[in-house]
Amino acid sequence: MTDSSSGFIVCGLTAVALATVGALGYQAAATAPTDLSKPRGASSPAPKASKAPRDRKNPAALPGNSGAGQRVVYSVDDDRVWLVGAGDTVRRTFKVTPGSVDPTPGSYGVSSRSNAVTGTDGIPIEHVVRFTVADGVTIGFSAAAQDAPSPSSSGASRTGARTGGIRESAQDGVAMWEFATIGRQIIVIR
């Protein structure tokens, strides 16, 4: 092999590499969001924000179009949670008391958990299962600690603090804690 043929091969390989990088750059630019100034969450927005189909005779029944597989389903309109096991079997459903900031409908994963902390409203809470941030407020499920004051007398209602805690009863908090481990899918619906 001569020096001129080696140079020709190097030039050819360089041209192919540049063409490949250019094609990949074009694909990336074509699929990039138009507004990069807004941070993107770790969620996938729901295809539509309309209310999921409900069984009118049984309002506690699992809504249609609420995902698949083992998951937690949370309806922001109904203030209700479903813990869904294998085969779309509802293991438990219960009412909750939402905070002042609602999560956007979509699919999330449990991102962190805490056994016991103080909530943004100053109430000691336990069995905290967090899954997203909305408008700068962390959103998650929790139960007030056994000796905590009632939420109606909390500092949040007096000070106007924005809260993302979705409060459960102590028993429901234990069930959520045992079911919603890190990575468990959380489906938020209307």
Side-chain angles (χ1 to χ4, degrees), residues 69-92:
Q70 295 185 5
R71 64 199 182 279
V72 174
V73 176
Y74 169 51
S75 169
V76 295
D77 286 353
D78 298 329
D79 298 328
R80 179 170 288 279
V81 169
W82 293 264
L83 304 182
V84 184
D88 275 352
T89 303
V90 176
R91 291 182 167 185
R92 186 181 190 106

Side-chain angles (χ1 to χ4, degrees), residues 4-103:
S4 63
S5 64
S6 296
F8 180 71
I9 292 172
V10 169
C11 285
L13 289 173
T14 302
V16 169
L18 288 173
T20 302
V21 168
L24 291 173
Y26 174 79
Q27 285 178 336
T31 59
T34 56
D35 185 2
L36 295 175
S37 65
K38 294 180 181 176
R40 295 177 55 137
S43 69
S44 353
K48 55 185 176 180
S50 63
K51 191 166 177 112
R54 302 293 203 278
D55 180 343
R56 294 178 191 261
K57 294 179 183 175
N58 182 6
L62 181 65
N65 298 331
S66 60
Q70 295 185 5
R71 64 199 182 279
V72 174
V73 176
Y74 169 51
S75 169
V76 295
D77 286 353
D78 298 329
D79 298 328
R80 179 170 288 279
V81 169
W82 293 264
L83 304 182
V84 184
D88 275 352
T89 303
V90 176
R91 291 182 167 185
R92 186 181 190 106
T93 183
F94 48 90
K95 295 290 279 182
V96 294
T97 303
S100 61
V101 178
D102 284 333

Side-chain angles (χ1 to χ4, degrees), residues 134-151:
D135 296 327
V137 177
T138 301
I139 308 289
F141 301 102
S142 62
Q146 296 290 349
D147 56 351
S150 69

